Amino acid sequence: MNSKQKWLIGGAITLVVVLIAAAFAWLGGDDTEPDAPTAQPTTPAAPTQGNNGGTGFADPATDTFGRKIYVPNNPAGQSLPQRDPGARVECDPGQLPTAQGGMTIQRNFDMVMLYSETDGPTRVDGDLARGYSHSPQGAALAAWNIWHRMREGGDVTKQVLLEQTVHDAALQKELETNPVPPGLRTVEQKRSMVAPDGFRILSCDDDFVVLEYAVRQIADENGALAAPRWVGMQWSMLWRDGDWKMQTADDSGKSGAVHTTLDGFTTWQF
């Protein structure tokens, strides 16, 4: 039995821990984002209800960098009207991919998700965001949103793993027959996360994209940083059944590269 098949047997941890463990190696095992506060509330958050039929947005919030965060009335998310992106760079190793148009940060399940007006997601289906463009730009949005929903725990994690990842038959059977434990992070912990500043494409063809995010840090174990620094987070995405799905192979989810500039990254303006 491999490590992924053991997720559901280890009742003391959530199913998603194995998938994201590598993504937090540079945090010394702490399941927070790079710039999360060190104080950790001790009471887990109550499970967040998904699609409640609400539409539109409540009053916005902001992150630690002063960027606007949209707060949908439906905690599972609110898709945006889509428009044609026009001519742009996609899979071209000699050029940076064009940024998605109309980028916004949105709070779903108390975590930061990425939405655009050109590359999706085009709909929120129950607890899942779906409908990303068949492009590296769409893959870059899908990976971040799938990964964060995967970390919610309970039924949300189970739905994401069943429907938005590519995995083997053994894990499929485990998911179909076992519940996923609820997430243990508090609302404060989830809201301490920040959205990445941008992405870059490491490998790209029509049906397979490997990408890296640049997530800005404001502090490390020694305190505030004297100069800007970004931590890289890498994911592999496969185009399957008309949408992007995350590859759960052992080589997906690598992270830890430290960047002192955003050279080589396509950056976003939120």
Side-chain angles (χ1 to χ4, degrees), residues 51 123-130 159 163:
N51 195 330
R123 66 189 187 278
V124 175
D125 180 8
D127 292 327
L128 306 183
R130 303 180 189 267
Q159 287 180 58
E163 301 183 37

Side-chain angles (χ1 to χ4, degrees), residues 71-99:
V71 181
N73 291 318
N74 175 6
Q78 172 68 58
S79 60
L80 303 177
Q82 298 293 293
R83 55 182 170 85
D84 190 326
R88 65 180 181 179
V89 177
E90 294 186 356
C91 290
D92 185 338
Q95 302 182 70
L96 293 181
T98 306

Side-chain angles (χ1 to χ4, degrees), residues 17-165:
V17 166
V18 174
L19 268 182
I20 67 171
F24 294 98
W26 33 266
L27 293 174
D30 185 21
D31 188 19
T32 55
E33 293 292 344
D35 48 15
T38 56
Q40 299 294 333
T42 57
T43 304
T48 304
Q49 296 299 313
N51 195 330
N52 62 7
T55 59
F57 296 92
D59 292 337
T62 186
D63 70 5
T64 190
F65 301 114
R67 299 178 297 188
K68 183 177 182 179
I69 299 176
Y70 289 80
V71 181
N73 291 318
N74 175 6
Q78 172 68 58
S79 60
L80 303 177
Q82 298 293 293
R83 55 182 170 85
D84 190 326
R88 65 180 181 179
V89 177
E90 294 186 356
C91 290
D92 185 338
Q95 302 182 70
L96 293 181
T98 306
Q100 301 86 337
M103 283 289 295
T104 61
I105 305 171
Q106 196 174 120
R107 178 180 289 166
N108 300 166
F109 300 109
D110 289 308
M111 294 174 283
V112 286
M113 309 281 181
L114 302 175
Y115 285 72
S116 83
E117 296 176 356
T118 56
D119 295 278
T122 59
R123 66 189 187 278
V124 175
D125 180 8
D127 292 327
L128 306 183
R130 303 180 189 267
Y132 297 93
S133 68
H134 192 177
S135 67
Q137 285 84 353
L141 301 179
W144 184 266
N145 295 345
I146 289 170
W147 174 63
H148 273 70
R149 276 172 160 78
M150 196 186 299
R151 302 178 69 206
E152 172 65 8
D155 289 342
V156 176
T157 294
K158 185 169 186 174
Q159 287 180 58
V160 172
L161 286 166
L162 281 170
E163 301 183 37
Q164 294 189 306
T165 72

Side-chain angles (χ1 to χ4, degrees), residues 182-204:
L184 299 178
R185 290 170 302 140
T186 65
V187 170
E188 290 84 356
Q189 286 171 325
K190 292 194 286 186
R191 290 186 180 182
S192 70
M193 300 173 182
V194 296
D197 284 2
F199 73 102
R200 67 175 178 171
I201 300 300
L202 305 179
S203 180
C204 184

Side-chain angles (χ1 to χ4, degrees), residues 233-249:
M233 301 175 64
Q234 178 180 322
W235 297 105
S236 300
M237 302 298 290
L238 291 158
W239 183 260
R240 294 288 187 274
D241 305 320
D243 216 343
W244 289 106
K245 296 188 178 184
M246 181 172 286
Q247 188 176 49
T248 60

